[in-house]
Amino acid sequence: MPDLSGLFTPDRVAIVGANDEEGSVGRALLKNLSSFDGDVIPVNPNLETVLGRECYSEIGDVPDAASIDLAVVAVPATVAVDVVRQIGHAGITDVVVITAGFSETGGEGEQREQELIDVAEEYDLNLVGPNCIGIISTPSGLNATFVRGEPPVGSISFISQSGAFIAAVLGWAAQHGVGFKDIVSLGNEAVLDEIDFIEQWSDDPDTDVILAYLEDIGDGQRFIETARDVTRETPIVVIKSSRTEAGAEAAASHTGSIAGSEDAYEAGLHQAGVLRAMNIEEVFDYGQVLAGQPLLEDDDIAVVTNGGGPGVLTTDAVSDSRLTIAEFGDDVGAELADVLPGEADVANPLDIIGDADIDRFRESLDIVLGDESVAGAIVLCVPTETLEFDDLADAIGDLQGRHEKPVVTCLMGGEEADRAANTLEPYGIPNYFDPVRAVSSLEVLAKYRDVTEREYESPEAFDIEKERAREILLQAAERDVDHLGVEVMELLDTYGIPIPASDLAESASEAESIAEEIGGPVAMKIVSPDILHKSDIGGVEVDVPIEAVRGTYQTLRERAIDHDPDATVLGVQVQEFVDPDESTETIVGVKRDPQFGHLVMFGLGGIFVQIFEDTAFRVAPVSEREAREMTEEIQAAPMLQGARGRTPADVDGVVETIQRISQLVTDFPAITELDINPLVVSPEGVHAIDLRLTVDRETLPVETARETDG
Amino acid sequence: MPDLSGLFTPDRVAIVGANDEEGSVGRALLKNLSSFDGDVIPVNPNLETVLGRECYSEIGDVPDAASIDLAVVAVPATVAVDVVRQIGHAGITDVVVITAGFSETGGEGEQREQELIDVAEEYDLNLVGPNCIGIISTPSGLNATFVRGEPPVGSISFISQSGAFIAAVLGWAAQHGVGFKDIVSLGNEAVLDEIDFIEQWSDDPDTDVILAYLEDIGDGQRFIETARDVTRETPIVVIKSSRTEAGAEAAASHTGSIAGSEDAYEAGLHQAGVLRAMNIEEVFDYGQVLAGQPLLEDDDIAVVTNGGGPGVLTTDAVSDSRLTIAEFGDDVGAELADVLPGEADVANPLDIIGDADIDRFRESLDIVLGDESVAGAIVLCVPTETLEFDDLADAIGDLQGRHEKPVVTCLMGGEEADRAANTLEPYGIPNYFDPVRAVSSLEVLAKYRDVTEREYESPEAFDIEKERAREILLQAAERDVDHLGVEVMELLDTYGIPIPASDLAESASEAESIAEEIGGPVAMKIVSPDILHKSDIGGVEVDVPIEAVRGTYQTLRERAIDHDPDATVLGVQVQEFVDPDESTETIVGVKRDPQFGHLVMFGLGGIFVQIFEDTAFRVAPVSEREAREMTEEIQAAPMLQGARGRTPADVDGVVETIQRISQLVTDFPAITELDINPLVVSPEGVHAIDLRLTVDRETLPVETARETDG
């Protein structure tokens, strides 16, 4: 891992492409650096001085050039690579390339970016960009960007894959008291990417929270591994855009990147312990509250208000969230009754009535925060003649500090509310107008508690027959097809997934003898690489008694030929029949995502997946805890768990099957798609009834380094 | 309908209980009225002058008292009723009672409120309150409230069941450019309620939008009837709190009112054409955009931006909404290419690139708004050196006006964005920081278009046998039970709902002969008022062949007695067996809601209702359009409509059944609960298989005035 601290703590900064022309990037950079603590050295071959500073022709001409800590490049694209080479040659390792005209423009630009990468490699540069708006580090006043706005000092560090996003939020954030430590515009991420900065800031004592605007994640597996560690200590909040098809199209047109599936991002970010924000306000709300307030130790909170209506709205919002309205302890009720007027109801939400003054507010909140059953509080106040918001803000700040429980406020109003928000800022207490936002902020303190409490468990390595699995896949591949089906059910057997007794029959009599050996009714399925959806052409018959097996064999073959006279029919699979009564059909599926690798899916079969889209996803490898979460987070979970008097199904069997499938696809990355549909689950166990599989035959023999065999 | 315009257009206003004591309500009222256009007359028996004005001892002492247009009462509760009587006696009809201590305190207060109602009736008073913060009408500067904040003039009128809510938003709204016409704090609604003001403002040419904060609706049926008319011309936006159980509890403790079910409110507000906001920002966002912008003629919109990232976020938000990203016409593409630099992609969202100046913005937006395929636009701009927000704001306002298509903006930033918002205000264009809010505002213009296009159709009056239905219900009632079941299936027949051939058997041999008459396998169900959940005790057998009917009869009786030796067993219902294959089980249910009356429910049976809660509700009477919407809005709708190659079920039959049930419960309000479970739907038709019914026997013979019989 590279040490990137030099980017943020330079003493001497060179601006290559410094300029004094109105509206130029070079001039804006110099202006933004005017309050920087260190030295700023302009470089431009066409100028002798820039804005009163001596200007050098090239970086090598600067006296003691090797002691320059940071070089910012804002020269035309055509000369940018040469300039970066000179910088490397001068012995400078931290570089920000603002210049655009690289891979985002395609063609020539892509080649230029490759050259830039080569130079960076040659000189071992920590290179940000190209095609970015620069970086900021507030403690030293380093604002090496060309956009307007001066963010206040704080403990939030922020990366963005969109420079415009940074430009959009700087002024707004300052207005709303959001303070930053470092800000990085990632640009094309030719060298340094989002993961590098997440890693960097996890070791930065001055960064309490990491925020990120991301349009894509280059290496999903590396992201999960890194962020999973970082989020134990430092919360990461991500706003991930291009979530939708139209959004992804829009993003592709301005960055040229291909987005992975939203399901993969959702799963990957969750597994990494990343908190996800769904709009811009949320990112900064979460950042502020995580930076300013302690975690919520459990989910029970109190609401203290001087107005009924806002109290009710807040209670609704709490009910919509994972938080709950705490029940006050008995003693606490009596204490509150002492300080409240007779007509006040001692209940949570606590309405201390419209004529409450500062003392009533202070005393009530003190009692409430002292209650063991209260983990945190929301304080609401509407403007009245009986108190001043500013005094209340100080009282709340003081009480929050003494009780060390998180508090957020809705001191609701116009300018007086803004002033109170300023008063609350040094206490790290965010103030909102809308109670919905206050609840959502407090809730994130509970969500992050979960992340910190989550123990990382390695995926289980089951005892499997990897060699036999490889042989089955290779054999299948020899048949020159990409799509495999029920004929490779044995593959599941090698990874310990229960399958019905089964064999491939190539004649009617063979079918009959297989059925006799199985003993009892069988299911029969046509096997043909040319027929993907067997049921649709009548290629499946179930509950076939032994005496009907011969006839059914012929019927199935005829249907296949009727459907497609040229279809290669390999035979008919004769399977032990698993009675669907008293059992539930589920699906375990896998897809290979371009960013995250294998994504494992679980859901109930048929319409539950197709119409209700009631599915759960995790990026492989999937641990036991994660597999269990998958069975719990689908809406239909009660159907497996034994709702309304049903016998609970073998959920443990499902959990194990998910893990074993995860192990299979991790061992054989060439598997690009896999579906066990259905995986029938009964109280007695699970049975994989049918299988579809797509392999990338090119990479089939290749396997991962991770050996799980024997 | 009372004419309430006098409340808002008084020339002479008396403040009974005027005061000069610091912090008193009487003083705050006088202060808030200091910029009122008309006369303000203080009344207080203990003072000679108040704040420099001559003060009268009582209302009757005021010269020409009958010409006082509005009396505001802020006296102690103990004398309030007398004071209102004096006001009535003096010939004044418009009264606002601010005084608290009425029904909200219970006991004595409730009696006091009844006296107040009696006085109001005697003098035919338009009385607001009691227990409210007052009323505001901005055109004349009438601020007859005691809270801080001076709302700007505008075309939004606003009612609130919480005074604190008004106090909370006044200052904020002023800061955000939300202008009001009239504001009413409803208080206890002893006389005038939310419906009266909705009616009043529907005729007010200066009110463009009605906003409401509601905790409950007293008379749901009257609300729907009134609002359905009003919303054709004037949009109503409601934020309904106490949506959740905890919220309703909190509301009950401060208002004493009992809330109806959230399902009923959701259905009732929808049927009334009311737009629902889920948080405070949304109410005012919707109000502002509806007041300021024309409707969106279809759902295709354009996004014009100078920053990629914000454009992507906006596109995601559009995809999440009902809106769609318009496809530009071919000509338009060519026109745009002319005004954009070469590296810009001509696509929607249209990224006109970071160096865009005011001309490029103006030209692009002009072309885009001129495109026939574009119904409205969102303009995004991040701060750059190349343009000033203020100029852009004026350009956008001008273009919006010329094209007469709705536009909302995200000129994103800090103070410069606030200034731009002020510039946009006179154009009626709202500016947001977060694109999610911009999309949601534009979306509401499409939602309201739907409301205005909706034609009101009266519920169909089917030809039914009401007399026979009444007899069945009366007969059943004579049995001295409230819960009826399969034995009254005939009731459904009287209202034209298909039921299987069926009869009640009181002996095994009778059961057999009924089965023989039906001819074929039958379903058999125990009939007992003491056994509500028949299936749970094995009280139902299906697909019983004729030869097994005698034995099954005995078995069912035995199971009933095993379950409850004291159970009254009326016999066994022998029913035509409807094969569940090729058919879908649905539920049509009814519940009587305290506020809205009968609420009709539709959903798929079993786990779809129990676990997925996939249900649709409408308040009865239900029209055909509404019944059809119910079948379409459940998530499982594709299962009925013929998803994935299934034959479509008889949805028309379901739609008719819902309407016939609606007619039944409307005709017999004594039915408090009813469930057809299942209503089996096949491609050929519908069949009600089982019925549960609860009647309020006290009111059973009573029927509605509406006669629908033959």
Side-chain angles (χ1 to χ4, degrees):
Chain A
M1 172 193 152
D3 177 8
L4 307 181
S5 59
L7 283 164
F8 304 111
T9 55
D11 289 322
R12 300 182 80 201
V13 178
I15 306 296
V16 190
N19 211 324
D20 50 11
E21 203 182 308
E22 272 298 340
S24 74
V25 168
R27 180 190 173 97
L29 276 164
L30 275 184
K31 288 231 148 198
N32 279 341
L33 281 167
S34 59
S35 47
F36 173 52
D37 286 349
D39 288 342
V40 178
I41 304 154
V43 177
N44 185 331
N46 308 317
L47 299 170
E48 307 247 307
T49 62
V50 186
L51 300 175
R53 294 176 201 262
E54 187 181 351
C55 183
Y56 298 89
S57 179
E58 53 181 67
I59 195 87
D61 296 346
V62 179
D64 195 10
S67 81
I68 291 175
D69 304 293
L70 173 66
V72 181
V73 177
V75 299
T78 45
V79 299
V81 176
D82 281 341
V83 161
V84 172
R85 188 175 289 113
Q86 289 163 17
I87 289 167
H89 187 72
I92 303 164
T93 52
D94 293 303
V95 186
V96 176
V97 181
I98 286 175
T99 308
F102 288 80
S103 63
E104 82 280 7
T105 60
E108 204 179 313
E110 270 177 43
Q111 199 192 321
R112 188 175 293 137
E113 186 150 322
Q114 189 50 54
E115 287 165 24
L116 186 69
I117 294 169
D118 293 344
V119 171
E121 222 157 81
E122 186 183 343
Y123 293 101
D124 206 11
L125 303 181
N126 295 325
L127 186 145
V128 178
N131 185 27
C132 74
I133 66 158
I135 66 172
I136 293 176
S137 187
T138 60
S140 62
L142 176 80
N143 182 348
T145 75
F146 60 89
V147 298
R148 281 186 271 180
E150 201 68 46
V153 181
S155 64
I156 293 172
S157 286
F158 173 39
I159 29 176
S160 175
Q161 286 177 343
S162 158
F165 188 90
I166 297 176
V169 303
L170 279 192
W172 176 85
Q175 224 182 10
H176 290 78
V178 181
F180 293 94
K181 165 74 180 10
D182 301 330
I183 299 178
V184 173
S185 166
L186 290 166
N188 294 359
E189 305 185 296
V191 176
L192 295 174
D193 65 12
E194 68 281 356
I195 306 174
D196 295 312
F197 288 99
I198 287 173
E199 240 176 328
Q200 175 64 32
W201 287 328
S202 72
D203 291 332
D204 174 9
D206 297 327
T207 292
D208 289 334
V209 185
I210 299 169
L211 304 187
Y213 168 88
L214 300 180
E215 292 182 356
D216 61 36
I217 289 173
D219 182 341
Q221 291 280 344
R222 191 177 140 236
F223 182 89
I224 292 177
E225 278 160 31
T226 305
R228 195 163 48 197
D229 278 344
V230 172
T231 52
R232 271 179 237 255
E233 301 281 341
T234 310
I236 303 177
V237 183
V238 164
I239 178 163
K240 164 73 178 66
S241 80
S242 74
R243 287 179 294 108
T244 63
E245 213 176 300
E249 247 176 64
S253 85
H254 89 101
T255 65
S257 67
I258 299 157
S261 81
E262 165 62 14
D263 291 328
Y265 278 105
E266 180 69 28
L269 293 174
H270 172 80
Q271 286 170 273
V274 165
L275 302 161
R276 194 161 178 187
M278 297 311 281
N279 58 53
I280 308 181
E281 270 179 2
E282 248 178 39
V283 191
F284 294 101
D285 282 357
Y286 292 178
Q288 254 181 320
V289 80
L290 285 161
Q293 291 294 298
L295 293 188
L296 203 53
E297 293 213 343
D298 65 50
D299 288 1
D300 300 329
I301 64 150
V303 177
V304 180
T305 179
N306 72 342
V312 179
L313 279 175
T314 309
T315 309
D316 280 337
V318 170
S319 298
D320 289 342
S321 78
R322 63 174 271 173
L323 302 181
T324 46
I325 296 285
E327 234 176 84
F328 292 145
D330 290 341
D331 300 0
V332 169
E335 280 180 68
L336 283 170
D338 271 355
V339 304
L340 294 178
E343 64 266 41
D345 237 357
V346 177
N348 190 7
L350 186 68
D351 185 350
I352 63 172
I353 313 205
D355 63 353
D357 59 8
I358 179 76
D359 290 330
R360 198 193 293 165
F361 246 117
R362 187 186 289 114
E363 285 164 2
S364 320
L365 185 59
D366 194 13
I367 296 169
V368 163
L369 286 176
D371 188 341
E372 277 184 9
S373 58
V374 170
I378 299 177
V379 181
L380 307 173
C381 189
V382 310
T384 67
E385 298 294 331
T386 49
L387 57 76
E388 292 297 323
F389 274 11
D390 251 3
D391 300 341
L392 180 60
D394 272 320
I396 294 170
D398 171 57
L399 287 167
Q400 188 280 320
R402 283 203 281 118
H403 289 280
E404 295 182 342
K405 290 178 180 177
V407 174
V408 300
T409 60
C410 290
L411 310 189
M412 302 168 83
E415 276 156 30
E416 58 192 326
D418 292 347
R419 280 195 307 275
N422 289 338
T423 308
L424 285 161
E425 217 184 285
Y427 298 103
I429 297 176
N431 186 54
Y432 305 98
F433 172 66
D434 204 312
V436 170
R437 275 172 74 190
V439 171
S440 156
S441 282
L442 213 46
E443 187 182 24
V444 92
L445 297 176
K447 288 185 183 163
Y448 183 58
R449 182 191 72 228
D450 283 358
V451 172
T452 60
E453 286 174 355
R454 201 152 86 175
E455 297 218 350
Y456 176 63
E457 41 163 24
S458 326
E460 197 154 337
F462 293 95
D463 194 8
I464 44 80
E465 299 170 77
K466 189 163 166 187
E467 232 4 272
R468 188 154 72 94
R470 190 200 321 277
E471 275 160 29
I472 293 171
L473 285 169
L474 284 172
Q475 247 173 38
E478 275 167 20
R479 272 182 240 136
D480 207 27
V481 289
D482 294 330
H483 300 281
L484 308 173
V486 71
E487 71 281 6
V488 289
M489 287 289 283
E490 220 192 314
L491 182 65
L492 298 178
D493 187 47
T494 61
Y495 271 67
I497 295 164
I499 57 172
S502 170
D503 212 343
L504 183 71
E506 291 177 19
S507 71
S509 60
E510 200 182 340
E512 193 180 47
S513 55
I514 294 169
E516 274 162 1
E517 195 163 311
I518 288 169
V522 292
M524 298 177 67
K525 299 171 189 177
I526 200 78
V527 177
S528 162
D530 303 316
I531 301 169
L532 276 185
H533 297 278
K534 297 185 290 288
S535 303
D536 293 357
I537 64 135
V540 178
E541 289 289 336
V542 298
D543 207 1
V544 184
I546 293 176
E547 53 275 21
V549 166
R550 276 177 172 271
T552 306
Y553 181 91
Q554 296 303 351
T555 313
L556 290 174
R557 284 202 78 109
E558 280 157 23
R559 284 181 192 156
I561 297 306
D562 281 356
H563 166 67
D564 176 3
D566 299 328
T568 309
V569 175
L570 300 175
V572 169
Q573 197 76 16
V574 181
Q575 247 179 18
E576 180 186 347
F577 174 62
V578 179
D579 194 335
D581 289 357
E582 263 295 295
S583 66
T584 306
E585 295 198 346
T586 67
I587 300 183
V588 175
V590 181
K591 247 195 185 153
R592 205 168 65 183
D593 179 84
Q595 263 76 32
F596 283 88
H598 286 111
L599 187 66
V600 184
M601 184 269 268
F602 174 70
L604 261 56
I607 60 146
F608 295 100
V609 168
Q610 291 153 12
I611 295 177
F612 285 86
E613 293 176 3
D614 182 24
T615 48
F617 291 90
R618 288 295 180 280
V619 174
V622 179
S623 72
E624 195 201 325
R625 177 178 55 72
E626 289 169 337
R628 195 165 301 275
E629 281 173 7
M630 292 172 77
T631 66
E632 288 164 355
E633 76 188 29
I634 58 169
Q635 246 190 304
M639 285 183 69
L640 296 176
Q641 290 155 356
R644 294 183 64 92
R646 290 165 65 117
T647 317
D650 178 24
V651 176
D652 289 345
V654 176
V655 170
E656 198 175 309
T657 303
I658 292 171
Q659 295 173 80
R660 286 176 182 273
I661 283 296
S662 159
Q663 186 171 353
L664 171 66
V665 295
T666 307
D667 287 347
F668 296 98
I671 298 175
T672 54
E673 267 187 68
L674 181 156
D675 271 307
I676 304 182
N677 182 9
L679 177 79
V680 167
V681 192
S682 71
E684 287 74 42
V686 299
H687 268 104
I689 302 298
D690 205 351
L691 176 68
R692 282 176 56 200
L693 192 72
T694 310
V695 290
D696 175 4
R697 279 184 297 135
E698 306 276 310
T699 61
L700 188 55
V702 181
E703 18 158 337
T704 57
R706 178 171 151 254
E707 281 295 326
T708 58
D709 208 347
Chain B
M1 171 192 152
D3 177 7
L4 307 181
S5 60
L7 283 164
F8 305 111
T9 54
D11 288 323
R12 298 183 81 202
V13 178
I15 306 297
V16 191
N19 212 325
D20 51 11
E21 204 181 305
E22 270 301 339
S24 73
V25 168
R27 182 191 172 96
L29 276 165
L30 276 184
K31 287 233 146 194
N32 278 342
L33 281 166
S34 59
S35 48
F36 172 54
D37 287 349
D39 288 342
V40 178
I41 305 154
V43 178
N44 187 329
N46 308 316
L47 298 171
E48 308 246 305
T49 61
V50 186
L51 301 176
R53 295 177 200 259
E54 187 180 353
C55 183
Y56 298 87
S57 179
E58 52 180 68
I59 196 89
D61 296 344
V62 180
D64 196 11
S67 81
I68 291 175
D69 304 293
L70 173 65
V72 181
V73 178
V75 299
T78 46
V79 299
V81 175
D82 280 340
V83 161
V84 172
R85 188 175 289 114
Q86 289 164 17
I87 289 167
H89 187 74
I92 303 164
T93 52
D94 293 304
V95 186
V96 175
V97 182
I98 286 174
T99 308
F102 287 81
S103 62
E104 82 280 7
T105 62
E108 205 179 312
E110 270 178 38
Q111 198 192 322
R112 187 176 293 138
E113 186 149 321
Q114 188 52 55
E115 287 166 26
L116 187 69
I117 293 169
D118 294 343
V119 171
E121 220 157 80
E122 185 184 342
Y123 294 101
D124 206 12
L125 303 181
N126 296 324
L127 186 146
V128 179
N131 185 27
C132 73
I133 66 158
I135 65 172
I136 292 176
S137 186
T138 59
S140 63
L142 176 79
N143 181 348
T145 75
F146 61 89
V147 299
R148 280 186 271 179
E150 201 68 46
V153 181
S155 65
I156 294 172
S157 286
F158 172 40
I159 31 175
S160 174
Q161 285 176 344
S162 158
F165 187 91
I166 297 175
V169 303
L170 279 191
W172 176 86
Q175 223 182 10
H176 290 77
V178 181
F180 292 96
K181 165 73 179 7
D182 301 331
I183 299 178
V184 173
S185 166
L186 291 165
N188 293 358
E189 307 186 295
V191 177
L192 295 175
D193 65 11
E194 67 281 355
I195 306 174
D196 296 311
F197 289 100
I198 286 173
E199 240 176 327
Q200 176 62 33
W201 287 327
S202 72
D203 291 332
D204 175 8
D206 297 327
T207 292
D208 288 333
V209 185
I210 299 170
L211 304 188
Y213 168 88
L214 299 180
E215 292 183 355
D216 60 37
I217 288 173
D219 182 340
Q221 290 280 342
R222 191 177 138 236
F223 182 89
I224 293 177
E225 278 160 31
T226 306
R228 194 164 49 199
D229 278 344
V230 172
T231 53
R232 270 178 239 256
E233 300 281 340
T234 310
I236 304 176
V237 183
V238 165
I239 177 163
K240 164 71 179 67
S241 80
S242 75
R243 285 179 293 109
T244 63
E245 215 176 297
E249 250 176 62
S253 85
H254 89 102
T255 64
S257 67
I258 300 157
S261 79
E262 166 62 13
D263 291 327
Y265 278 106
E266 181 68 29
L269 293 174
H270 172 80
Q271 286 170 273
V274 165
L275 302 161
R276 196 162 177 186
M278 297 312 281
N279 58 52
I280 309 182
E281 269 179 3
E282 246 177 42
V283 191
F284 294 103
D285 282 356
Y286 292 177
Q288 254 181 319
V289 79
L290 285 161
Q293 291 294 299
L295 294 188
L296 204 53
E297 293 212 346
D298 66 48
D299 288 359
D300 300 329
I301 65 151
V303 177
V304 180
T305 179
N306 72 343
V312 178
L313 279 176
T314 309
T315 308
D316 280 337
V318 170
S319 298
D320 288 341
S321 79
R322 63 174 269 174
L323 302 181
T324 45
I325 296 286
E327 231 174 89
F328 292 145
D330 289 342
D331 300 359
V332 169
E335 280 180 70
L336 283 171
D338 271 356
V339 303
L340 294 178
E343 63 267 40
D345 236 357
V346 177
N348 189 9
L350 186 68
D351 185 351
I352 64 172
I353 312 204
D355 63 353
D357 59 9
I358 179 76
D359 291 330
R360 198 192 294 165
F361 246 118
R362 188 187 289 115
E363 285 164 359
S364 319
L365 184 59
D366 193 13
I367 296 169
V368 163
L369 286 176
D371 188 340
E372 276 183 11
S373 58
V374 171
I378 298 177
V379 181
L380 308 174
C381 188
V382 309
T384 66
E385 298 293 332
T386 49
L387 57 77
E388 291 298 322
F389 273 12
D390 251 3
D391 301 340
L392 179 59
D394 272 320
I396 294 170
D398 171 58
L399 287 168
Q400 188 280 319
R402 283 203 280 119
H403 288 280
E404 295 182 345
K405 290 179 180 176
V407 174
V408 299
T409 60
C410 289
L411 311 189
M412 302 168 85
E415 277 156 31
E416 58 192 325
D418 291 347
R419 279 196 307 275
N422 289 338
T423 308
L424 285 161
E425 217 185 284
Y427 298 103
I429 297 176
N431 186 54
Y432 305 98
F433 171 65
D434 203 312
V436 170
R437 275 173 74 190
V439 171
S440 158
S441 282
L442 213 46
E443 187 183 21
V444 92
L445 297 176
K447 287 184 184 165
Y448 184 58
R449 181 190 73 225
D450 283 356
V451 172
T452 59
E453 287 174 354
R454 200 152 90 174
E455 296 219 351
Y456 174 64
E457 40 163 25
S458 326
E460 196 154 339
F462 294 95
D463 195 8
I464 45 80
E465 298 171 79
K466 190 165 168 185
E467 230 7 88
R468 188 154 72 93
R470 189 199 323 278
E471 276 161 29
I472 292 170
L473 285 170
L474 285 173
Q475 248 173 38
E478 276 166 23
R479 271 181 241 139
D480 207 28
V481 290
D482 294 331
H483 300 282
L484 308 172
V486 72
E487 70 280 7
V488 289
M489 287 289 283
E490 219 192 314
L491 182 66
L492 298 179
D493 187 49
T494 61
Y495 270 67
I497 295 163
I499 57 174
S502 169
D503 212 341
L504 182 71
E506 289 175 22
S507 71
S509 59
E510 201 182 340
E512 193 181 46
S513 55
I514 295 169
E516 273 163 359
E517 196 163 311
I518 289 170
V522 292
M524 297 176 68
K525 299 172 189 178
I526 199 78
V527 178
S528 162
D530 302 315
I531 299 169
L532 276 184
H533 297 278
K534 297 186 289 287
S535 302
D536 293 357
I537 64 137
V540 178
E541 289 289 337
V542 297
D543 207 1
V544 184
I546 293 175
E547 55 276 19
V549 165
R550 275 177 174 271
T552 304
Y553 180 91
Q554 297 301 354
T555 312
L556 290 175
R557 284 202 78 109
E558 279 158 24
R559 285 180 190 156
I561 297 305
D562 281 356
H563 167 68
D564 175 4
D566 299 327
T568 307
V569 176
L570 301 174
V572 169
Q573 197 76 19
V574 181
Q575 245 178 21
E576 178 186 347
F577 174 64
V578 179
D579 194 335
D581 289 357
E582 262 295 294
S583 65
T584 307
E585 294 199 347
T586 67
I587 301 184
V588 175
V590 181
K591 246 196 187 152
R592 206 168 65 184
D593 180 84
Q595 263 75 34
F596 283 89
H598 287 110
L599 187 65
V600 184
M601 184 268 267
F602 173 69
L604 260 56
I607 59 146
F608 295 101
V609 168
Q610 291 153 13
I611 295 177
F612 285 86
E613 293 176 2
D614 182 25
T615 48
F617 292 89
R618 288 295 181 280
V619 173
V622 179
S623 72
E624 194 201 324
R625 175 178 56 71
E626 289 169 337
R628 194 166 300 279
E629 281 173 6
M630 292 172 77
T631 66
E632 288 164 354
E633 76 190 27
I634 58 169
Q635 246 191 304
M639 285 183 67
L640 295 176
Q641 290 154 356
R644 293 185 63 92
R646 290 165 66 115
T647 317
D650 177 24
V651 176
D652 289 346
V654 176
V655 170
E656 199 174 308
T657 303
I658 292 171
Q659 294 173 82
R660 286 177 182 272
I661 283 295
S662 159
Q663 186 171 353
L664 171 66
V665 296
T666 307
D667 286 348
F668 296 99
I671 297 174
T672 54
E673 268 188 66
L674 181 154
D675 270 309
I676 303 181
N677 182 8
L679 177 79
V680 167
V681 191
S682 70
E684 287 74 41
V686 298
H687 269 103
I689 303 298
D690 205 350
L691 176 67
R692 281 177 56 200
L693 194 70
T694 308
V695 290
D696 175 3
R697 279 183 298 136
E698 306 276 308
T699 61
L700 187 54
V702 182
E703 20 159 335
T704 57
R706 181 171 147 249
E707 280 295 327
T708 57
D709 208 348

